[in-house]
Amino acid sequence: MSLFDLGAADLIGGLLGLAVTLVVFSHFIGDNAVFRLVLHIFIGMSAGYIAVVVAYNVLWPKLLRPVLEAEGWELLWVGLPLFFSLLLFARLFPRYSILGSPVLAFVVGVGAAAAVGGAVVGVLFPQVRATINLFDLDAIRQNQENVNLALVNGSIILVGTISSLAYFHFGVRGKAGSKTQRSTWMEWLAQVGQGFIVIAFGMIFAGIYAAALAALIERLSSITRFIYSLVAGF
Amino acid sequence: MNAISLAGIIFLALFAGLIAYFARFKPGSSPSSLRDIPAFSRIRRGIGLAVEAGQQLHLALGHGGIADFKGGSGLVGLSLLERIARAASNSDRPPVATSGEASLAFLSQDTFKSVYRLMYSESQYDPEAGQLTGLTPFSYAAGAILVASDPQVSTNLFSGHFGSEIGLILDAAEQNDSLTSGGSDDLQAQAILYAAAQEPLVGEELYAAGAYLQVNPYHLASVRAQDIMRWVLAGGILVGAVLKAFGLI
Amino acid sequence: MEIVICPFCGKENRAEDETCQYCQARLKPLRIDPESQPGLIGQSPGEESQVFSKKEGKPDSQDGLQASGEVTPAGKPAVSEPSDWLTGFRNQITTQDLTPGPEALDDERQPEARDIRQDFEAGAMLDDAFRSLPFENARDNEESYPEFLPDEPQKAEKVGDVAADDLAWLRELQSQYNEVDGLSSAASKKDEGWLAANELSQDSQKREDERVPRWVGEISAGSLDKQDSEAEGGLSASELPSWLDATRPLATPQIIFGMPSGYSDQVEIAGPLAGLPGLLPAEPEIALGRKAAAYPTQLQVSETNRIQAEIFDQVLQSEGQNRPLPDRVLVSSQKVMRMAFALIILFAILAPVFSLQTLERYPAITPVEVLSASQIISRIGSESPVLIAVEYEPGFSGELDAALAAVLDHLMIQGAFLVLVSSVPSGPMQAEHIVGVSNQVGPHQYINSASQKEYINLGYISGGLAGLRNFAENPRLSNPSDISGEPAWENPVMVNIDDINDFSLVIVASENHDKSRAWIEQTSPLLEDTPLIYVVSAQSEPLIRPFFDATPQQVQGIVSGVIGSVHYGATIGRQGIAHLYWPSFNSGLLAAAILIVVGGGANALLALTASKNGRKPGGKSL
Amino acid sequence: MKSYPFVYLLAAIAIASGAAVLVGYFFPSLAGLKGEMLDWAVIFTAVLLLIGVISLVRTHWRKIMQDQKDRAYSLVLIFSFTLTLLVAAPSGPTSKWSMWLYENLLIPIESSLLGILAVFLLYASARLFNQRMNIYTLLFIGTVLLALLGWLTIPGVDLEGFKDARDWLSSVWAVAGVRGILLGVGLGTVATGLRILIGADRPYGG
């Protein structure tokens, strides 16, 4: 694609992208004023997009339009969220911020319940069930897996899950003078658990590097393609 | 009501009962009855050094919304903030808390205000201490980079929901030669903290911060309740696995 | 049985014991000939010397001091009349101290000045003097005796007793010299001062010097004043060593040694100093000196305390000075290592691009989870509604655009109707972006087809988990309109959709494990037979994998990052964006492995040498 | 916290709303009330997002007005915020020019930030030996190397063995560690939430 095929918008866009990418890469050398400038541009843009998305997707369809379209008693029920939302706006003024505290308390209460309920229903029980199901011989046979290998793997996961859970055990008997005060079997189990945890972190860490590497490659390849199109254009 | 709901209710009732029991009837135990976690002693010393040297302490609360599942670690961060604000309220440079979500930012400002009211120095309260630095994960990290790379900041603590962008804040803190410590509920953030922070908190250790830094007796009680419930889960897994292997369930 | 408390070590002894069984100190004072020996301080004529004694087991706060009768060696009567030097001392205090100072001119203070005389008579002034003396042992013995010396006038005579007994240490000193070489007894017999006989030979003189306690030795014949004047005018002041000079108190209190007149020609007739004229009285008043009215400011401070006080003082003073911030080291070793890493990685990525290298060899075996995803999408019919949750941040566009583009390209070929949604605020724009990118992958015009729009963007689901739950249960109520505000559900493809199970396929694209899991927990219970495919980043693949391996399967297919996308392209024979990235990705991984090994090895060596030199690892690093 | 009557009101609201939602998780028949409260929470979360935007912009506006240090940066932030609003608000965030701004400025900046993270991650893992020299560091670095080699293809070198080892490590050993961590984090989350539901922690200004 030569320079002339590029519209003005694409040309300016490409130059903008090239510039901000090089400024961000200048952070390798060290912190500098231009890098901070780009960070502020980025924070401002993100806030702008969020304001527009929230307005289009939540405020208008779920808050304002129902109030405008509601009649009679329905207006009261539909208007309540709007009223409490206006109380939340009081948080912006220190003198009246106390008006918004009840709504914030409501959000904290609902959030705490969602966290507790989600943790029990969505994490603790499913993980316990998944570990138990590793020893479901019928399912293993149904998946045509090698039963022995599956049981070995299941046992490793069982031991790893329980030992890494034991690693977090906090209570110790007597004064915590010396570093390890837990009983010997607990300490041994915790050290095995720490090994499993570290392996999990290693796998995740490599994945994060791969994702970051892909982002770096995308930036560099878009820069080289853009420069090629500029050079090819002349 | 199905079996899962019933098990859930029993589990939560037992958990809440243990917390109330340990807090009400056996408050005697102290942090010394907990295993040694070096990160917390470094955090305590970091708070002291920051106050003594007149430098600033930065607590990053992440961008986990309070209203949803990711808010758990943010709430732990708010308890930590209350303890830090109490210790550092008379320092030359009071601590600063950055967050990437509006409800977290308002709650951190509330925490500062109630601590200063407790210390009868409400005039010192500065709303800027609880900063909202950005509204998406990476724009929050961009704002937190600007705070972490301030030469006056000597200690950076992380307690909240983060993603991989926590690496950018750790990078800025490391270039500023300041102490980095903390934890998160997100696995990606924990993996980066494990590799890059000087004193990482692994997994559940973050949730024991209130007990180790003695925020209030309920934190110590809930850590002891967690220890018991941990072995209830472990026992359940073991028994379940054996019964499943023998086809009994 | 009556017990006696040893004044030195505080241990109990039997009353009849001469010396303490623990520290051999004399319990019974030697009785010296009253005529020649000055009376004890504070002892009025006729009063007997008193020894502290305590009935066993009966601490009595009032009469702890009990007269236990007269105990005199060799039957000599107790000393009665007060010594000359004491009366001289008293007169001196009364004349000098009571002369009204400037503050006395102040009328209110006048009565206080007159009271000083009565206080002194009642021994109060002595209390102050005694209070500064090191009478710890004496005070410790007195269980019933209050901690500090009493202020009340009526206890003043006890003070005298305290002093009498406290002089025991001097007598004990004297007895020690008598026992050491028997010399003193010759001296006391001949009634000459042991130093008066100057004709002793040089070595005996030396021996004498050694035996004489150093502080006595320093007090040469004649009064201290004479010594001072010599120091000033006569002999040149001896050069004190610097360390000694440094230890001299900076502001020594002006102890005015006013000696009663005519005192200097009196010759000592007994005791170890017999024969020496004009000796300073060894009695406590030497220590007394005549202090200025103000309390002594000089504490008894040991050397280490003084040094610590100085350090503390320096710390306090340094607080005041503003120390300039240490200027930042421009190029530290960490920065050099960081730049080296950056250059190597950039080179590893750009080398394949500039050499126009293409992918020689696909990774051999296609993973089963990618194959499964490809097979499911191959079965999607034209105009089937497919829900695509775009849950990743714009930063991960590099990796997830590549992975998702391959899948969307395949769906576009199948002619599926895409329904885009996101629970991330920047999701709606990201969804629009990825559809545009996917449309450019293959030679198909998915977006610009003549028929009605082939996709719809429902925009943002707010409220996190709760919002997801609401959307899964009732998408129409959750997102009634599309991102640009138009009614979303009137499109013919969308008309029959009431809950999430009515979609033909659900695809979740996310870089974060929590968001991925949230969709599984909130939607999989409602999905029933609708397949769920994940397009994830490589960082969350290990965490989603268990849901694919689980039985029953909660996730029916996984495409993970650039590698998954390359595999997916191989299954449908189409080269997507990932194929452009693959050579750089491959060399980037290799460079990373090498850098970790080399950099890690170098830092491990640093850590080993640091621990060998006794430094804790964690210090200087490359 | 200094208690005053208003705190008890806030605590009552938090506990009541939390209990209502929690009950809805376990008693499907009462899920209706939970759904309604979650709906309100969804709206309040979105409103909080908007209030957050206003609070962020006001903070930087105050920096400019009070002539504080770095006010130039704040000016740039407010300018880019306003420009984005003007471009995206009229015809929606996915309109042509809004997407132009998004694809040519926002994505490049965020991708570049993630890109420089790659170098920092390598530097941090290389330096780990100096910070914590123990068996677990060796295990961590070994796992990272194995994972990287498992993805590699080097012409003429057969790395399939690494790939199988990586898959086994990922699907068995890593899963075990992840489960342990998730269970631990789950227990911590439940404890944190329960402390709020029984009124022990009151982060809402109580």
Side-chain angles (χ1 to χ4, degrees):
Chain A
M1 187 162 58
S2 75
L3 181 64
F4 303 106
D5 299 342
L6 276 179
D10 294 335
L11 179 62
I12 296 169
L15 288 174
L16 266 180
L18 173 64
V20 293
T21 303
L22 295 180
V23 166
V24 172
F25 283 176
S26 70
H27 188 59
F28 287 144
I29 301 161
D31 200 6
N32 56 77
V34 188
F35 175 70
R36 287 169 172 258
L37 201 70
V38 166
L39 289 188
H40 279 83
I41 292 173
F42 171 55
I43 296 170
M45 280 185 72
S46 305
Y49 274 116
I50 282 186
V52 172
V53 164
V54 165
Y56 268 83
N57 258 135
V58 182
L59 295 191
W60 168 248
K62 295 193 170 179
L63 207 58
L64 302 177
R65 194 161 62 181
V67 170
L68 298 177
E69 291 168 355
E71 293 108 20
W73 284 105
E74 197 192 347
L75 183 64
L76 185 68
W77 180 249
V78 174
L80 267 178
L82 180 62
F83 167 71
F84 289 124
S85 303
L86 294 177
L87 286 184
L88 267 179
F89 273 90
R91 292 291 323 196
L92 287 167
F93 312 100
R95 194 173 299 114
Y96 308 110
S97 72
I98 205 159
L99 293 177
S101 293
V103 184
L104 211 51
F106 170 82
V107 170
V108 168
V110 167
V116 169
V120 171
V121 171
V123 177
L124 296 182
F125 286 179
Q127 295 295 331
V128 168
R129 193 172 58 238
T131 310
I132 290 173
N133 286 343
L134 291 170
F135 297 87
D136 185 349
L137 300 183
D138 304 338
I140 293 169
R141 289 190 196 95
Q142 187 188 335
N143 291 345
Q144 296 99 26
E145 289 173 39
N146 174 334
V147 176
N148 296 333
L149 180 64
L151 285 179
V152 165
N153 287 346
S155 311
I156 293 172
I157 292 177
L158 181 67
V159 167
T161 302
I162 289 178
S163 55
S164 45
L165 197 52
Y167 164 77
F168 295 118
H169 189 89
F170 297 106
V172 291
R173 268 178 292 109
K175 227 168 141 2
S178 72
K179 190 164 177 304
T180 49
Q181 200 74 16
R182 297 186 273 202
S183 48
T184 32
W185 68 272
M186 171 92 78
E187 194 54 42
W188 183 81
L189 195 58
Q191 293 193 1
V192 170
Q194 189 171 357
F196 278 97
I197 289 171
V198 163
I199 289 173
F201 281 162
M203 293 306 294
I204 296 169
F205 187 85
I208 297 169
Y209 171 73
L213 181 63
L216 197 53
I217 292 170
E218 187 267 336
R219 281 291 83 216
L220 290 173
S221 70
S222 68
I223 285 176
T224 44
R225 270 186 278 128
F226 178 71
I227 291 171
Y228 265 157
S229 60
L230 284 183
V231 170
F234 291 105
Chain B
M1 182 206 297
N2 55 36
I4 287 183
S5 300
L6 186 63
I9 290 167
I10 296 169
F11 181 85
L12 285 181
L14 182 59
F15 208 136
L18 283 171
I19 291 177
Y21 167 73
F22 284 127
R24 185 70 66 200
F25 302 111
K26 290 194 110 184
S29 57
S30 63
S32 66
S33 64
L34 303 176
R35 71 181 164 96
D36 176 40
I37 297 183
F40 288 120
S41 25
R42 271 301 284 278
I43 287 174
R44 232 182 266 115
R45 227 174 70 236
I47 295 170
L49 278 176
V51 172
E52 208 175 283
Q55 294 197 312
Q56 203 161 31
L57 189 141
H58 166 220
L59 175 62
L61 292 172
H63 49 81
I66 291 291
D68 65 24
F69 176 60
K70 293 178 279 191
S73 50
L75 294 171
V76 174
L78 290 173
S79 307
L80 208 57
L81 177 63
E82 183 205 336
R83 173 71 176 71
I84 290 166
R86 253 189 277 149
S89 56
N90 45 24
S91 139
D92 297 347
R93 281 192 179 76
V96 61
T98 57
S99 36
E101 209 266 344
S103 54
L104 264 181
F106 290 141
L107 291 176
S108 63
Q109 287 163 10
D110 280 354
T111 303
F112 274 116
K113 191 190 287 184
S114 51
V115 167
Y116 281 116
R117 184 188 310 128
L118 204 66
M119 304 279 196
Y120 302 106
S121 51
E122 205 156 345
S123 57
Q124 282 185 17
Y125 163 62
D126 169 18
E128 298 304 318
Q131 291 183 15
L132 178 66
T133 59
L135 289 151
T136 66
F138 272 82
S139 65
Y140 159 68
I145 285 171
L146 302 172
V147 175
S149 47
D150 181 346
Q152 296 303 343
V153 172
S154 67
T155 303
N156 290 275
L157 303 182
F158 300 85
S159 171
H161 182 79
F162 300 88
S164 320
E165 72 283 347
I166 196 174
L168 297 169
I169 311 173
L170 284 164
D171 182 21
E174 202 265 337
Q175 293 196 40
N176 195 22
D177 292 339
S178 50
L179 167 68
T180 51
S181 178
S184 172
D185 61 332
D186 183 84
L187 283 160
Q188 276 106 30
Q190 287 182 51
I192 295 179
L193 278 164
Y194 183 82
Q198 286 154 28
E199 292 292 350
L201 287 172
V202 175
E204 196 186 341
E205 288 174 349
L206 169 69
Y207 291 87
Y212 276 85
L213 298 178
Q214 293 169 287
V215 172
N216 66 42
Y218 280 90
H219 283 258
L220 198 56
S222 52
V223 160
R224 298 174 70 199
Q226 278 167 240
D227 276 348
I228 291 173
M229 298 310 288
R230 165 191 337 285
W231 294 106
V232 165
L233 286 180
I237 291 174
L238 265 180
V239 168
V242 168
L243 295 181
K244 179 68 89 172
F246 289 105
L248 300 177
I249 51 174
Chain C
M1 177 209 35
E2 228 179 80
I3 59 168
V4 169
I5 305 295
C6 162
F8 261 85
C9 63
K11 300 261 174 25
E12 293 170 351
N13 299 275
R14 291 185 307 272
E16 57 279 1
D17 291 350
E18 285 281 326
T19 60
C20 171
Q21 53 182 332
Y22 297 99
C23 65
Q24 278 61 44
R26 286 203 63 75
L27 295 179
K28 294 192 176 61
L30 291 180
R31 286 286 118 229
I32 299 159
D33 182 358
E35 287 80 24
S36 63
Q37 191 51 296
L40 296 179
I41 294 175
Q43 201 173 13
S44 55
E47 215 174 21
E48 291 136 54
S49 82
Q50 292 173 344
V51 176
F52 296 109
S53 75
K54 178 186 79 170
K55 283 268 173 337
E56 197 173 348
K58 185 172 123 0
D60 186 345
S61 63
Q62 284 313 319
D63 49 6
L65 295 175
Q66 282 194 347
S68 63
E70 176 189 342
V71 178
T72 53
K76 289 245 173 69
V79 172
S80 54
E81 73 282 339
S83 64
D84 312 340
W85 60 268
L86 173 62
T87 46
F89 173 71
R90 275 188 187 153
N91 299 344
Q92 192 184 339
I93 285 182
T94 47
T95 49
Q96 254 205 355
D97 258 312
L98 305 185
T99 45
E103 66 278 4
L105 300 180
D106 171 3
D107 291 347
E108 300 86 17
R109 305 285 303 264
Q110 284 281 353
E112 196 179 326
R114 262 197 306 286
D115 294 349
I116 288 179
R117 178 189 297 277
Q118 283 90 11
D119 288 353
F120 177 71
E121 291 306 326
M125 285 301 288
L126 292 181
D127 300 348
D128 299 341
F130 279 118
R131 192 169 291 132
S132 66
L133 294 180
F135 286 139
E136 286 82 7
N137 292 350
R139 269 202 294 281
D140 291 353
N141 283 346
E142 264 307 320
E143 270 181 20
S144 61
Y145 207 82
E147 186 64 36
F148 51 86
L149 288 180
D151 293 332
E152 296 80 29
Q154 73 277 7
K155 288 205 172 166
E157 66 283 354
K158 287 198 175 109
V159 169
D161 308 330
V162 166
D165 185 79
D166 289 329
L167 296 186
W169 66 273
L170 182 62
R171 276 177 205 78
E172 198 274 326
L173 204 67
Q174 178 179 330
S175 61
Q176 272 176 6
Y177 294 121
N178 298 347
E179 286 149 17
V180 163
D181 58 4
L183 186 65
S184 56
S185 56
S188 63
K189 271 202 215 69
K190 277 191 242 147
D191 211 4
E192 293 153 8
W194 57 278
L195 282 182
N198 292 331
E199 67 281 7
L200 286 177
S201 65
Q202 191 60 21
D203 53 350
S204 61
Q205 174 63 38
K206 190 164 163 305
R207 217 171 50 251
E208 290 311 317
D209 289 347
E210 275 155 17
R211 272 204 311 285
V212 170
R214 193 161 52 73
W215 61 271
V216 175
E218 282 155 9
I219 305 170
S220 64
S223 71
L224 281 173
D225 299 345
K226 186 157 162 284
Q227 195 183 30
D228 287 353
S229 60
E230 268 165 19
E232 281 140 20
L235 290 177
S236 66
S238 64
E239 271 309 311
L240 289 178
S242 64
W243 61 268
L244 182 62
D245 190 49
T247 58
R248 284 182 59 185
L250 303 182
T252 52
Q254 292 309 316
I255 301 178
I256 306 142
F257 280 87
M259 282 299 115
S261 59
Y263 186 75
S264 59
D265 45 14
Q266 183 186 338
V267 177
E268 201 57 35
I269 51 142
L273 309 175
L276 283 178
L279 277 188
L280 286 175
E283 282 75 6
E285 75 263 22
I286 279 291
L288 245 182
R290 198 176 48 69
K291 285 196 178 15
Y295 286 99
T297 55
Q298 193 56 31
L299 296 175
Q300 290 198 15
V301 175
S302 71
E303 192 54 28
T304 48
N305 289 358
R306 195 179 52 69
I307 291 165
Q308 284 162 358
E310 276 169 12
I311 291 169
F312 187 67
D313 186 44
Q314 282 157 17
V315 166
L316 286 182
Q317 275 160 17
S318 68
E319 278 302 308
Q321 301 138 7
N322 45 29
R323 278 164 280 126
L325 276 175
D327 44 9
R328 304 174 66 85
V329 175
L330 259 185
V331 183
S332 65
S333 65
Q334 282 115 345
K335 198 159 285 228
V336 168
M337 180 162 173
R338 200 194 287 270
M339 276 193 267
F341 272 51
L343 290 177
I344 292 168
I345 291 293
L346 293 180
F347 175 75
I349 291 171
L350 289 175
V353 172
F354 287 129
S355 62
L356 297 177
Q357 201 187 58
T358 58
L359 175 70
E360 286 102 26
R361 210 157 57 88
Y362 282 117
I365 309 159
T366 304
V368 64
E369 65 270 14
V370 174
L371 209 56
S372 166
S374 176
Q375 287 160 359
I376 290 170
I377 291 176
S378 308
R379 292 196 296 266
I380 294 292
S382 168
E383 297 301 320
S384 324
V386 172
L387 179 68
I388 297 168
V390 180
E391 298 286 68
Y392 59 94
E393 296 291 331
F396 288 85
S397 298
E399 183 185 32
L400 285 170
D401 278 2
L404 190 53
V407 171
L408 292 189
D409 174 50
H410 190 189
L411 280 170
M412 288 175 181
I413 293 168
Q414 300 289 112
F417 184 84
L418 308 182
V419 180
L420 305 162
V421 77
S422 175
S423 70
V424 171
S426 55
M429 289 78 77
Q430 193 65 28
E432 201 74 24
H433 163 73
I434 187 61
V435 169
V437 167
S438 309
N439 189 43
Q440 292 157 14
V441 169
H444 51 63
Q445 293 303 326
Y446 181 80
I447 298 171
N448 310 331
S449 66
S451 65
Q452 77 274 23
K453 264 176 95 174
E454 295 298 326
Y455 74 96
I456 187 168
N457 188 340
L458 293 179
Y460 170 56
I461 308 172
S462 93
L465 275 181
L468 279 187
R469 189 73 183 198
N470 281 348
F471 178 82
E473 286 165 357
N474 193 336
R476 287 172 177 273
L477 193 66
S478 169
N479 286 58
S481 51
D482 70 4
I483 186 62
S484 47
E486 307 293 325
W489 301 92
E490 285 143 10
N491 190 305
V493 176
M494 305 282 281
V495 168
N496 324 320
I497 295 175
D498 293 320
D499 68 25
I500 200 167
N501 185 39
D502 297 334
F503 287 99
S504 314
L505 167 65
V506 175
I507 297 176
V508 178
S510 166
E511 93 288 351
N512 184 280
H513 164 255
D514 277 328
K515 285 182 239 173
S516 308
R517 211 183 64 232
W519 273 88
I520 293 174
E521 283 155 20
Q522 301 303 324
T523 59
S524 62
L526 307 169
L527 280 178
E528 292 155 13
D529 53 0
T530 303
L532 175 61
I533 290 178
Y534 267 76
V535 177
V536 293
S537 160
Q539 66 185 20
S540 57
E541 189 257 345
L543 313 169
I544 298 299
R545 182 59 187 260
F547 295 104
F548 176 77
D549 295 338
T551 29
Q553 251 185 352
Q554 286 176 286
V555 169
Q556 282 70 41
I558 299 177
V559 179
S560 159
V562 171
I563 299 155
S565 174
V566 167
H567 284 305
Y568 194 89
T571 62
I572 55 174
R574 287 172 70 88
Q575 293 210 342
I577 306 170
H579 294 76
L580 281 180
Y581 295 166
W582 180 256
S584 300
F585 188 78
N586 205 34
S587 54
L589 292 178
L590 187 61
I594 295 166
L595 283 175
I596 289 176
V597 170
V598 171
N603 273 289
L605 279 180
L606 266 181
L608 288 178
T609 46
S611 54
K612 224 175 254 125
N613 307 341
R615 270 184 293 115
K616 216 161 82 51
K620 198 171 111 37
S621 72
L622 266 188
Chain D
M1 299 292 168
K2 179 167 172 285
S3 299
Y4 49 95
F6 188 62
V7 167
Y8 295 124
L9 170 68
L10 298 181
I13 292 173
I15 294 168
S17 57
V21 170
L22 198 56
V23 160
Y25 265 96
F26 299 112
F27 296 97
S29 55
L30 297 174
L33 177 61
K34 174 193 117 185
E36 203 56 45
M37 299 186 101
L38 287 180
D39 260 355
W40 283 26
V42 161
I43 293 173
F44 295 149
T45 309
V47 169
L48 276 169
L49 254 181
L50 201 60
I51 294 173
V53 169
I54 298 168
S55 161
L56 177 73
V57 172
R58 188 181 62 169
T59 305
H60 286 276
W61 182 257
R62 235 188 241 147
K63 266 189 186 172
I64 297 169
M65 288 300 118
Q66 290 163 3
D67 237 0
Q68 285 183 17
K69 183 169 79 94
D70 296 345
R71 59 185 177 285
Y73 294 128
S74 300
L75 201 60
V76 165
L77 185 142
I78 288 182
F79 170 73
S80 82
F81 170 75
T82 316
L83 175 70
T84 308
L85 275 191
L86 295 178
V87 167
S91 46
T94 54
S95 61
K96 180 172 186 286
W97 289 109
S98 167
M99 286 308 292
W100 180 85
L101 204 59
Y102 183 83
E103 289 178 338
N104 289 299
L105 259 181
L106 198 122
I107 288 185
I109 294 175
E110 197 158 324
S111 291
S112 313
L113 284 173
L114 186 60
I116 62 177
L117 186 60
V119 176
F120 171 68
L121 294 179
L122 287 186
Y123 170 71
S125 49
R127 193 193 52 179
L128 195 53
F129 280 107
N130 202 320
Q131 285 209 329
R132 291 193 292 277
M133 182 57 141
N134 56 38
I135 177 80
Y136 300 111
T137 302
L138 273 178
L139 196 55
F140 177 80
I141 296 295
T143 307
V144 172
L145 288 175
L146 182 63
L148 295 177
L149 295 176
W151 281 322
L152 264 178
T153 55
I154 300 174
V157 178
D158 179 12
L159 294 173
E160 286 310 312
F162 280 107
K163 187 176 180 339
D164 297 338
R166 181 200 170 283
D167 285 348
W168 189 54
L169 206 66
S170 169
S171 58
V172 176
W173 297 80
V175 162
V178 163
R179 280 217 174 115
I181 295 170
L182 288 179
L183 289 171
V185 166
L187 284 174
T189 304
V190 169
T192 305
L194 284 179
R195 279 201 303 272
I196 286 177
L197 294 179
I198 59 178
D201 279 354
R202 299 188 294 277
Y204 33 78

